[in-house]
Amino acid sequence: MTRALAFLLPLVLALAAVSLSIGPADVSLPESLPALIFGGDGPLPMVMREIRLPRVLLALMIGGTLGLAGAAMQGYLRNPLAEPGLLGVSASAALGAVLAIQSGLSVAFALALPLSALAGAVIAVLILIMLAGPRAETLTLILAGVALSAVAGALTQLVLNLSPNPFAASEIVFWMMGSLADRSMLHVWLALPFMAVGVLLLAGVGRGLDALTLGEDAAASMGIDLGLLRLRVVLGTACVVGAGTAVAGAIGFVGLVVPHLLRGAVGGRPGPLLWVSAAGGAAMLLAADIAVRVVAPDRDLKLGVLTALVGAPFFLRLVWRSRGERA
Amino acid sequence: MLRRALICLLLAAAPAAAQEAPARVVSMNLCTDQLAMLLAAPGQLVSVSKLARDPMSSAMAEEAKGYPVNHGQAEEVWLLRPDLVVVGSYTAQAAAQMLERLGTRVLRVAPAASLADVPARLRTLGEAMGRQKRAEALIAEFETRLAALRAEMDRRPSAALYYANGYTTGDQTLAGEILLAAGFHNIAGARGGGQLPLEALAMAEPEALITARPYPGASRSEEILMHPVVRQLRAARAATANTGSDWICGTPHVLGAIEDLSRFRQEIE
């Protein structure tokens, strides 16, 4: 684990620095870095502190927690296809966020946005675990996820289409694909407390997930409280996915690809994989956010488009492999 | 025999040669609604689109209350038995094509992209509706008032047009020409509509920020107009004004937008 982190953490830092230096305002790093840290006159400190910094912070936070949540879900369900985006958790969180915005609740009370998204995510995770059962059968899990995504997506579109606001309908793309464009520090503060709670909840599940690889009875005999473990995974995942989706839309596949790529580096153990996946998720989302700005600087290309282009082939490969196992 | 056939042929050709004014006109587009309301003879315009009554979008929302509205669907328009249907060149194309197949005359009017398009659209629609005289009168009035409004400027204050989703419009658009005519310099430059990144707006530090009034119901797209950077720009120096329904369509009502904006410029100078 330490070797993987020793590689990933510098990578995350380097990507964060690159992300800070990219933008339509053409300024070099020697100019922009002092403006970021020390402030000063003119528009540059504002650009660095209010536009670029929240973008980098959100990429770090959302990418990291998506990687963490993906690893936790895969560990708990003992299924490599589990992922919040794929299983409709993100879509349900987006529905919660859209309801908060369209009902005017988020204007009256700022925390209503992440809270409502969190509620959507909790409901989704509970439905998934209820449907898939304690040992998640791949087919059941995926079908439950497909159904959940479809319902949440359809309801989101219904709400946005019925809105009196002419822009609402075009925002369907944002909620389905996610973007970090033009977010502010306000969004960072809005998401941070929920993500912190989620990370704390998921931080303690490593030992339980490791034990669970031996089966439920063995884990219980090792003193693992399975009910508590389930509660932590459900609430922790819902907290981080809800908060992230509320401010940046549903970004898929990060939680699928990252644990899959890094599993070998930790010897397949789900506990250590949690932290390695968090670092890997942050790196992946930072890289994707850099790519959307480099590939199409003058149009708001959605983040989820890139993560899906990378992630969907992985998903196909996993499906292919699981088919081979059953045959 | 031959003479009789010739007379028949002439009679048949006559209405096509001198097209008589359509008695029943239906408009299916916000901008043609307003042009048609300005041009129509009493009783000639039988329906306008639903948007024409929306005060957020329509400069003639009050007048539109005097007309039944349609929702841009072929069936309801067909049942009105129109002699002429006026549509925009981008919207309701499926309905327009269906009406054409059913034998209704359809006129497509492209949205105005400049102030010069205003008299052109008035003329086109005036001819189609058999209201040339009324059109020429409106055009003459428009051009006199526009000439009076255009002033020579020593210094043009810089301004940015900033809409939901960070969209802006440059000099080569109707809104851009309104800005120029009112004596401003547009920081977006000589271009059409497109994205103006928040960073670029912050770095340009415009003296005036002209944003759209928010629509009812919340949206994430309009959130950008409350971004800390935009708020700070407003607080620091940029005077702000709103675009309104006068800005949307190429009708003589754009003069109202230019008047408001010129007054605004004199206030901040």
Side-chain angles (χ1 to χ4, degrees), chain A residues 196-290:
Chain A
V197 171
V199 170
L200 280 179
L201 282 169
L202 293 177
V205 301
R207 203 174 74 86
L209 294 183
D210 281 343
L212 206 57
T213 52
L214 306 172
E216 267 155 55
D217 296 337
S221 71
M222 285 164 72
I224 302 295
D225 181 344
L226 288 176
L228 187 68
L229 182 67
R230 168 188 290 212
L231 193 70
R232 292 186 89 130
V233 170
V234 170
L235 285 182
T237 304
C239 272
V240 298
V241 174
T245 307
V247 296
I251 301 165
F253 291 103
V254 177
L256 179 85
V257 173
V258 171
H260 179 70
L261 279 180
L262 297 173
R263 192 162 281 126
V266 293
R269 286 170 57 220
L273 182 63
L274 290 174
W275 301 111
V276 176
S277 280
M284 177 173 170
L285 208 59
L286 277 168
D289 191 43
I290 291 168

Side-chain angles (χ1 to χ4, degrees), chain B residues 10-60:
Chain B
L10 277 172
L11 279 175
Q19 207 160 50
E20 58 190 283
R24 295 174 67 78
V25 177
V26 172
S27 164
M28 294 168 68
N29 170 281
L30 172 68
C31 294
T32 59
D33 290 341
Q34 298 177 50
L35 291 170
M37 282 190 276
L38 287 168
L39 287 164
Q44 189 186 19
L45 184 62
V46 291
S47 173
V48 293
S49 80
K50 184 179 142 230
L51 263 184
R53 285 191 186 173
D54 175 10
M56 284 296 290
S57 316
S58 169
M60 296 175 72

Side-chain angles (χ1 to χ4, degrees), chain A residues 22-27 42-44 46-47 50-52 54 101-102 104 106-107 163-168 170-171 174-175 179-187 247 293 297-300, chain B residues 54 56-57 162-167 191 194-205 212-233 236:
Chain A
I22 290 182
D26 195 17
V27 280
L44 196 55
M46 197 164 65
V47 166
E50 294 290 347
I51 300 175
R52 293 197 191 172
I101 291 177
Q102 293 300 326
S106 61
V107 179
S163 164
N165 192 294
F167 298 108
S170 63
E171 285 165 15
F174 164 80
W175 290 110
S179 163
L180 289 174
D182 302 327
R183 305 279 81 189
S184 64
M185 286 307 282
L186 187 80
H187 298 105
V247 296
R293 282 178 288 167
D298 49 359
R299 28 198 86 206
D300 180 20
Chain B
D54 175 10
M56 284 296 290
S57 316
Y162 209 53
Y163 310 111
N165 286 321
Y167 194 77
R191 63 180 222 184
Q195 212 86 23
L196 177 63
L198 205 48
E199 282 187 22
L201 177 71
M203 297 300 279
E205 296 187 287
R213 218 173 289 136
Y215 282 87
S219 77
R220 200 201 145 265
S221 307
E222 288 167 325
E223 216 184 308
I224 191 171
L225 302 176
M226 296 305 291
H227 193 283
V229 167
V230 178
R231 259 192 285 187
Q232 219 162 313
L233 256 180

Side-chain angles (χ1 to χ4, degrees), chain A residues 105-121:
Chain A
L105 220 59
S106 61
V107 179
F109 168 56
L111 283 180
L113 178 69
L115 277 175
S116 178
L118 173 68

Side-chain angles (χ1 to χ4, degrees), chain A residues 17-25 29 52 55 289-291 293-294, chain B residues 199:
Chain A
V18 172
S19 183
L20 268 178
S21 66
I22 290 182
L29 212 54
R52 293 197 191 172
R55 187 163 193 154
D289 191 43
I290 291 168
R293 282 178 288 167
V294 172
Chain B
E199 282 187 22

Side-chain angles (χ1 to χ4, degrees), chain B residues 142-187:
Chain B
F142 174 78
E143 286 184 335
T144 319
R145 280 179 64 197
L146 181 61
L149 277 172
R150 273 193 212 270
E152 275 309 306
M153 307 300 307
D154 299 332
R155 190 189 85 88
R156 287 174 170 269
S158 64
L161 289 160
Y162 209 53
Y163 310 111
N165 286 321
Y167 194 77
T168 192
T169 44
D171 293 342
Q172 290 156 6
T173 60
L174 183 62
E177 288 209 346
I178 291 175
L179 199 66
L180 283 179
F184 282 99
H185 158 73
N186 190 344
I187 65 155

